[in-house]
Amino acid sequence: MEDNSSSSSVVSGVTQASFLQRTLERLSSTQSLKLKTEEAAPVAVIALQRYLSEQTKGQQLDSYSYDVTVTDGVWRAKCFLHPSLNHLVHSNSLKTGSEISITQCSFVYNERRLGHGYICIEQLRCAAKRSAVLARVNTVSSLPILVKQGMERSVVLQSDVPLQVSRKHYLSLWNNDDPEGDIWISGSPSADTVLDVSKVTLLSSLDSSFKNTWKPLPLLVKIIHKSRLRYYGKFGLKIDYPYQAYFEVADQSGTMSLVLWNELCPEFYQRLNVGTVLYLQNYTLKQSYSNRSRPQMDHHRMKTFNSVEICLNPRNPASVITVVSPKSILPQWGLPDICYQFTARSELEKLANNSACDIIGLVTFVGRVERVKSKGKGPEKYWTYRWVHAVDGTSDHPFILELFSTSQAEIFSHICPMTYLVCTQMRVCHVEGSLPYLTSSCETETFITGYHKGQPYVNDPRVKSFIQWTKTLKDNVVLQKTAVGGYYRYPHPPAMFTQSMADAQVPLVAAADLKRELETLQYREHKKLAIQGQIAAVQYMETPEPQGLKDKEVPSASTDVCDQTVTYPSHSSTTKQTFVESLTSHCTDSSSESRRKRRIQISKTTQSSLNCGNIPAKRNAGRKNTNEGEEQAEEESNSAFEEVQQVGLSLQAENPNPDSNDLSWESSSWVRQQQEVSEHLCKGGLWQDSICRRFTLDEKNVLLQWSNLQPTRWTPLRTADALSPVLCPGYYHVTILGINKQIAVDAMYIPVVSSSEPQAVGLPQDPHGNTMLSCLSSGFLCPLSNTANNSEETLPRPEEILATASELEDTHVVCILDLCHLGGNKVEVMISKVYRLTEVSLD
């Protein structure tokens, strides 16, 4: 470690107090350091990186380990996060851009490697606010890296590799599909090498000579399809870079699969694209793996050789891969052209289920990125996906796209309204009661505006026709039909709920199992399930209008903000409040008694029972910032993002208008029943993250960050002056009592009120009577208003709907619930559909 004089000259030329430097010095004389509150200065999290854990004896706490890089404004330090704190990452409580206080740490030496060691964070406190430290730092990368004296020459400590030296690379923070880190090479120029093509062999010859003795002559092929990356790392596997990627390659004789293995993936995966020509030497052949996804290639009209596949290995033998420069490609090589099968939206209904197609469209809606747990073997992993709507002018309906990560992280995270989107090898999904939608396959690639140049499809007639159509559009008109983020579900639930559906698609769970389902949810993980029971209470809440940010105001912390500071010890779980305990905590809203309300009583019930049953839990919003200067600086730089990402901000806590109506209904037996329930789960309201927003070009960066997952690395955010309007006039807060009346759960219901809403697309719109039950069953208010035709239908008022709620009394229903962990202590519980018993089949 450098002395104070040298470090001060590196930073600014004057001596600066450094908490990290002092801590490292103190760790030289003690095994583990506990810091008092006054000693634990705040540090900012600027990077959070994940990798497969080293296998340990005994119980494995987690499949993955995390390195966290922090700064005190003077130094940067990469630290190892104790595995017992990993749950803070799983819930996105510990995240980049936030502030933490380290209260216990140790220095760990690697006993099998000279000159290597690191700080291990064993206990910390998380602050919900964004870091004030970062407001004082101009460029994080310019800060020096703190290294213990004697370890300055350690390559590992200075490189973008894990602190656990047995692992050579990082994984993407939220999935295993995306390339992550500096090891992935991209954009390297093709070699202008003189090739000897006189001895090349054809793919047809490989297929016929596989089982005979053969000499691997060079191959000259063109890539016609590319799959996403596959990470197959697991404990005990002695491979540094366990990656695999499939390509379909072609020459004049036909097509064959090619597999890129292990460390060749970081070197070549991002350089090998559809249309790339390869000159291959020292490859091997093996029998094809039959149980894998393959692209549909009938439109190429070429012979497909499926019995063998070409393997490119880093050793034994080391394959030689030459990427041929486009200007060196000769017509006499006879390499085929790249073919596509672009489908117009008007043709989609005619395609068979699971058939493949390519599409191009103008994006009008982009949902938030969510995760779903993979059911495969090995270490736990998640798929990341988002829903997108895109129009092409051939139909009144958009393409409805379920896009999973395609190992194109930069494109996936920048899909936004008003961009031209191309998706290849999408699969058609026909579902009962909904419009067909398209889901991505292993071979899907996506491209957006800024990435189309040089792609083989740019000269396709369908693409040119689409571009001509977009020239007839007016941006201001299209912008009025755009939306970003919020709760979105597709396909819509079918008209009947069956036992087979419960067994295969939407698990029908016991109310008691809800607690376990909620407890195991991780950040942005989505689960869909069904429960039986009855609706005990309903309350209508208006959505507050978002405050403009021209005065740089941050939303009040009185609206259900979770704990500002929470301490997390590493070795004991007895002092840590569990996630579910926070969800079931009782309400302590002392101000609600003094608020003036005009309650409209719909049934003959008591006032006190409704307050206890429906007011959400408050979570210690009493802490105040003591440094007003830092708080003001933080608001100036981050106010727009705080408006949409305020940790724990809930819309339900208090209606902004104290004289507004509090519309509600409750069952006549709810007063007695709520005294008998053992637990009341998710006593909360609607979160800001659950509501989609209108897209504007000025707010593009803010809305993109809001709808994407928390980034691995912190970057300064450029904010807009005002936020787009919320597309939700109000919602219903519904209390569901389990069929055995032991557990209750609160869920939110947002009815679709306009045909312009993203959730209205493909929604069955059979007329109904706008009763409370029919609205919960259908998902919309009848009839939907049509803003596109300036048609303002008279929709029923909330009090009119609630006046019919008495039919819910003691009615046995099945509720389809969507669960999504929004980060921290925020969990979203939404009602997708309510089935009457007449809509339930036992078959």
Side-chain angles (χ1 to χ4, degrees):
M1 185 178 66
E2 301 179 27
D3 59 25
N4 288 342
S5 60
S6 62
S7 66
S8 62
S9 63
V10 170
V11 180
S12 62
V14 294
T15 301
Q16 299 186 42
S18 170
F19 163 76
L20 291 174
Q21 189 175 26
R22 290 195 310 270
T23 300
L24 184 58
E25 290 171 349
R26 293 175 64 183
L27 283 171
S28 63
S29 59
T30 181
Q31 181 180 3
S32 181
L33 179 64
K34 291 187 177 181
L35 299 170
K36 299 178 182 178
T37 302
E38 60 272 16
E39 297 176 316
V43 294
V45 179
I46 56 176
L48 192 58
Q49 296 169 289
R50 181 177 69 105
Y51 51 97
L52 187 66
S53 297
E54 290 184 333
Q55 193 167 12
T56 58
K57 295 181 180 180
Q59 184 178 4
Q60 191 81 25
L61 291 176
D62 196 349
S63 299
Y64 301 99
S65 296
Y66 297 90
D67 291 344
V68 53
T69 303
V70 297
T71 182
D72 56 8
V74 182
W75 290 93
R76 284 181 290 159
K78 184 191 286 188
C79 307
F80 178 72
L81 188 69
H82 192 279
S84 62
L85 297 180
N86 286 2
H87 67 93
L88 298 178
V89 182
H90 300 165
S91 64
N92 198 39
S93 299
L94 177 62
K95 57 187 178 181
T96 53
S98 66
E99 196 166 87
I100 65 172
S101 295
I102 301 171
T103 58
Q104 181 171 320
C105 58
S106 60
F107 194 87
V108 179
Y109 290 91
N110 188 307
E111 298 180 0
R112 295 184 178 90
R113 187 173 186 136
L114 295 174
H116 181 68
Y118 49 82
I119 297 173
C120 175
I121 300 176
E122 298 174 336
Q123 291 186 17
L124 60 83
R125 288 198 304 269
C126 280
K129 64 179 183 179
R130 294 180 67 80
S131 173
V133 173
L134 292 174
R136 305 192 299 266
V137 178
N138 292 326
T139 307
V140 169
S141 60
S142 66
L143 297 177
I145 299 174
L146 185 63
V147 180
K148 191 175 181 66
Q149 187 175 8
M151 298 183 180
E152 296 89 348
R153 291 180 296 174
S154 171
V155 176
V156 171
L157 295 175
Q158 302 286 346
S159 305
D160 187 35
V161 293
L163 291 173
Q164 303 283 338
V165 294
S166 66
R167 302 304 179 197
K168 305 300 182 184
H169 67 94
Y170 287 113
L171 296 167
S172 175
L173 186 56
W174 303 115
N175 67 34
N176 290 350
D177 306 311
D178 294 335
E180 175 62 37
D182 297 339
I183 64 168
W184 294 86
I185 300 173
S186 62
S188 299
S190 304
D192 292 330
T193 307
V194 177
L195 304 175
D196 181 8
V197 299
S198 62
K199 296 182 180 180
V200 297
T201 188
L202 296 177
L203 296 177
S204 56
S205 300
L206 299 183
D207 183 67
S208 60
S209 62
F210 170 57
K211 295 183 180 180
N212 303 321
T213 302
W214 65 283
K215 181 179 179 180
L217 296 174
L219 284 172
L220 188 63
V221 293
K222 179 184 285 188
I223 297 174
I224 60 174
H225 288 290
K226 177 180 180 180
S227 76
R228 65 172 172 237
L229 275 173
R230 175 177 172 256
Y231 174 75
Y232 63 94
K234 60 182 179 180
F235 297 135
L237 186 66
K238 302 298 183 181
I239 297 176
D240 290 338
Y241 301 92
Y243 284 99
Q244 174 199 65
Y246 271 92
F247 299 82
E248 302 302 319
V249 297
D251 62 13
Q252 57 187 290
S253 67
T255 69
M256 184 177 288
S257 295
L258 178 149
V259 194
L260 195 65
W261 286 99
N262 303 332
E263 51 259 55
L264 290 182
C265 286
E267 183 178 356
F268 284 100
Y269 180 78
Q270 293 187 312
R271 298 169 57 191
L272 306 186
N273 301 301
V274 172
T276 299
V277 174
L278 302 176
Y279 184 75
L280 304 175
Q281 299 166 281
N282 289 1
Y283 55 89
T284 61
L285 296 179
K286 72 179 185 69
Q287 188 171 353
S288 289
Y289 180 60
S290 58
N291 190 24
R292 74 170 181 90
S293 170
R294 293 178 182 271
Q296 294 184 13
M297 300 190 294
D298 292 344
H299 60 289
H300 290 289
R301 294 179 179 160
M302 299 179 67
K303 187 171 183 179
T304 301
F305 305 110
N306 287 330
S307 60
V308 297
E309 56 192 30
I310 305 162
C311 295
L312 302 180
N313 300 289
R315 62 187 63 85
N316 300 324
S319 299
V320 179
I321 305 172
T322 302
V323 178
V324 182
S325 171
K327 63 183 180 182
S328 300
I329 300 172
L330 300 177
Q332 53 263 39
W333 293 350
L335 297 175
D337 294 330
I338 304 298
C339 298
Y340 292 90
Q341 45 185 349
F342 281 98
T343 298
R345 176 60 187 85
S346 59
E347 302 168 332
L348 192 59
E349 277 78 4
K350 303 173 186 176
L351 298 183
N353 192 60
N354 201 41
S355 59
C357 67
D358 309 317
I359 67 101
I360 183 170
L362 174 67
V363 175
T364 56
F365 165 72
V366 179
R368 68 191 178 204
V369 180
E370 295 182 354
R371 303 196 298 155
V372 61
K373 187 178 294 186
S374 169
K375 297 179 181 179
K377 297 180 181 179
E380 180 181 73
K381 64 179 181 179
Y382 287 83
W383 304 112
T384 54
Y385 70 98
R386 70 193 323 167
W387 288 92
V388 175
H389 290 179
V391 296
D392 69 353
T394 67
S395 170
D396 293 334
H397 301 299
F399 288 110
I400 304 172
L401 309 172
E402 183 185 32
L403 296 181
F404 286 83
S405 171
T406 57
S407 302
Q408 300 167 285
E410 187 68 17
I411 292 177
F412 186 77
S413 63
H414 282 84
I415 300 174
C416 65
M418 306 298 290
T419 191
Y420 298 166
L421 173 68
V422 169
C423 301
T424 63
Q425 284 292 313
M426 299 291 287
R427 297 300 176 94
V428 179
C429 298
H430 290 285
V431 288
E432 178 189 352
S434 295
L435 293 175
Y437 68 97
L438 299 172
T439 188
S440 53
S441 65
C442 290
E443 297 76 31
T444 291
E445 288 193 287
T446 58
F447 301 93
I448 57 175
T449 302
Y451 293 84
H452 297 305
K453 185 177 180 180
Q455 296 300 329
Y457 55 73
V458 293
N459 293 318
D460 189 283
R462 291 284 183 110
V463 173
K464 290 183 175 181
S465 176
F466 167 80
I467 297 300
Q468 289 300 315
W469 170 73
T470 60
K471 293 179 180 179
T472 67
L473 304 177
K474 295 182 178 179
D475 284 356
N476 60 337
V477 175
V478 178
L479 279 169
Q480 291 301 311
K481 303 175 182 179
T482 60
V484 176
Y487 166 74
Y488 178 88
R489 288 295 164 260
Y490 203 85
H492 302 291
M496 295 290 293
F497 184 83
T498 63
Q499 186 63 52
S500 60
M501 176 181 169
D503 294 337
Q505 301 173 17
V506 185
L508 182 62
V509 302
D513 291 335
L514 268 177
K515 182 173 182 178
R516 178 179 55 81
E517 295 289 349
L518 292 166
E519 197 166 31
T520 57
L521 272 180
Q522 294 194 22
Y523 172 58
R524 288 282 183 91
E525 179 183 359
H526 169 248
K527 291 182 181 179
K528 182 185 288 289
L529 49 82
I531 63 168
Q532 298 185 73
Q534 63 186 50
I535 294 175
V538 184
Q539 186 177 21
Y540 180 80
M541 305 294 294
E542 292 184 358
T543 304
E545 290 292 332
Q547 298 178 0
L549 296 180
K550 292 183 180 180
D551 296 327
K552 301 294 182 184
E553 294 180 355
V554 174
S556 170
S558 65
T559 56
D560 195 9
V561 179
C562 63
D563 293 348
Q564 296 293 313
T565 305
V566 185
T567 301
Y568 296 100
S570 65
H571 302 296
S572 172
S573 61
T574 58
T575 61
K576 177 172 66 72
Q577 185 186 34
T578 68
F579 175 57
V580 169
E581 285 172 349
S582 71
L583 294 174
T584 58
S585 57
H586 291 288
C587 45
T588 57
D589 184 5
S590 59
S591 64
S592 62
E593 296 298 326
S594 61
R595 285 188 297 155
R596 290 182 295 140
K597 292 183 178 180
R598 296 197 304 267
R599 178 176 300 278
I600 299 179
Q601 286 288 54
I602 307 301
S603 64
K604 298 179 180 179
T605 56
T606 64
Q607 169 80 30
S608 60
S609 63
L610 183 61
N611 283 341
C612 182
N614 285 351
I615 296 177
K618 301 292 181 180
R619 298 186 179 93
N620 185 16
R623 295 183 181 266
K624 296 182 179 180
N625 293 322
T626 58
N627 192 328
E628 294 182 0
E630 291 180 359
E631 183 182 47
Q632 182 178 359
E634 179 185 349
E635 290 180 7
E636 289 292 328
S637 62
N638 296 306
S639 56
F641 185 65
E642 290 288 351
E643 175 74 26
V644 295
Q645 190 66 16
Q646 177 83 6
V647 177
L649 182 62
S650 175
L651 297 174
Q652 52 35 261
E654 290 190 40
N655 197 313
N657 180 2
D659 290 324
S660 65
N661 292 332
D662 188 4
L663 309 176
S664 56
W665 168 88
E666 65 179 26
S667 166
S668 59
S669 54
W670 179 229
V671 178
R672 170 181 51 81
Q673 289 170 338
Q674 64 184 328
Q675 305 301 322
E676 300 172 354
V677 297
S678 58
E679 284 188 285
H680 194 151
L681 301 173
C682 296
K683 297 183 69 174
L686 190 70
W687 304 104
Q688 288 271 14
D689 292 349
S690 301
I691 305 176
C692 66
R693 293 179 177 273
R694 184 74 69 206
F695 177 78
T696 67
L697 295 174
D698 291 338
E699 299 166 340
K700 175 182 175 180
N701 292 335
V702 177
L703 292 171
L704 279 176
Q705 185 160 351
W706 173 62
S707 60
N708 281 314
L709 296 169
Q710 189 71 28
T712 296
R713 293 175 176 82
W714 176 82
T715 54
L717 180 69
R718 298 183 181 276
T719 61
D721 289 334
L723 278 173
S724 53
V726 171
L727 303 180
C728 174
Y731 64 97
Y732 291 87
H733 184 135
V734 181
T735 299
I736 304 166
L737 183 63
I739 191 171
N740 288 316
K741 301 179 174 55
Q742 295 299 307
I743 293 180
V745 59
D746 285 355
M748 305 304 115
Y749 165 65
I750 304 178
V752 177
V753 299
S754 169
S755 58
S756 64
E757 296 178 38
Q759 200 69 61
V761 176
L763 181 68
Q765 296 181 22
D766 298 330
H768 63 86
N770 285 320
T771 64
M772 190 72 251
L773 185 53
S774 68
C775 290
L776 289 168
S777 176
S778 66
F780 72 100
L781 304 187
C782 184
L784 291 179
S785 62
N786 189 341
T787 55
N789 296 329
N790 296 320
S791 172
E792 291 295 335
E793 301 288 351
T794 303
L795 295 174
R797 295 190 299 272
E799 55 266 36
E800 296 173 335
I801 295 175
L802 284 166
T804 67
S806 58
E807 67 176 320
L808 298 173
E809 188 82 35
D810 297 327
T811 299
H812 185 168
V813 295
V814 174
C815 300
I816 307 297
L817 301 180
D818 285 302
L819 313 181
C820 187
H821 193 301
L822 301 179
N825 280 347
K826 297 186 295 182
V827 63
E828 177 185 84
V829 183
M830 306 294 290
I831 294 180
S832 177
K833 184 177 178 65
V834 172
Y835 290 96
R836 309 171 179 89
L837 279 184
T838 56
E839 299 168 326
V840 174
S841 172
L842 301 180
D843 297 336

